[in-house]
Amino acid sequence: SNPIMRTNKVSSGNPMMDAGSAAPASSDDPYGAREMAQTATRMYFAGELDRAGFEKFLLRFGVVPGPESEVRRLIEKHERAGDGSFVEFTRALTREVAQAEVAAA
């Protein structure tokens, strides 16, 4: 007579589970490249990761920022003046990770 069932499934009435806002699980991204990129960027901005460590991370994803790269420009801007926004940096990095994945395919 108890209507509550113990399961590991998300309730369809759960407001936290909005299908439109949740990022879909991608089989193409088993390690969460976007999440890892955001974490590394956050650590770089916070000073927990130096430039060399951040660039080493980029290489792991096949991103080699060339002289005309937006990510390179943002790194240099951040190194010079501690300038730049996390959102701007993450968007640029996400685009370059996607380009590297397409080039590798």
Side-chain angles (χ1 to χ4, degrees):
S1 82
N2 187 354
I4 298 174
M5 298 172 50
R6 292 180 179 237
T7 69
N8 287 334
K9 297 178 184 174
V10 177
S11 168
S12 61
N14 185 343
M16 298 299 288
M17 185 56 196
D18 180 13
S21 68
S26 172
S27 60
D28 295 341
D29 189 11
Y31 300 108
R34 177 178 291 164
E35 290 79 13
M36 289 177 68
Q38 289 176 351
T39 299
T41 303
R42 192 174 299 113
M43 290 173 68
Y44 177 62
F45 266 72
E48 297 173 28
L49 189 62
D50 64 358
R51 180 177 179 165
F54 186 64
E55 289 177 343
K56 184 177 177 183
F57 163 82
L58 295 177
L59 287 172
R60 289 181 52 200
F61 286 100
V63 176
V64 182
E68 300 298 317
S69 164
E70 184 178 2
V71 170
R72 169 72 58 211
R73 183 182 58 80
L74 291 169
I75 288 172
E76 290 172 356
K77 183 179 173 184
H78 181 72
E79 288 293 314
R80 275 194 313 269
D83 217 8
S85 80
F86 173 77
V87 171
E88 180 183 29
F89 217 99
T90 303
R91 285 182 182 157
L93 183 55
T94 299
R95 282 191 294 271
E96 293 204 22
V97 167
Q99 288 173 357
E101 288 173 348
V102 168

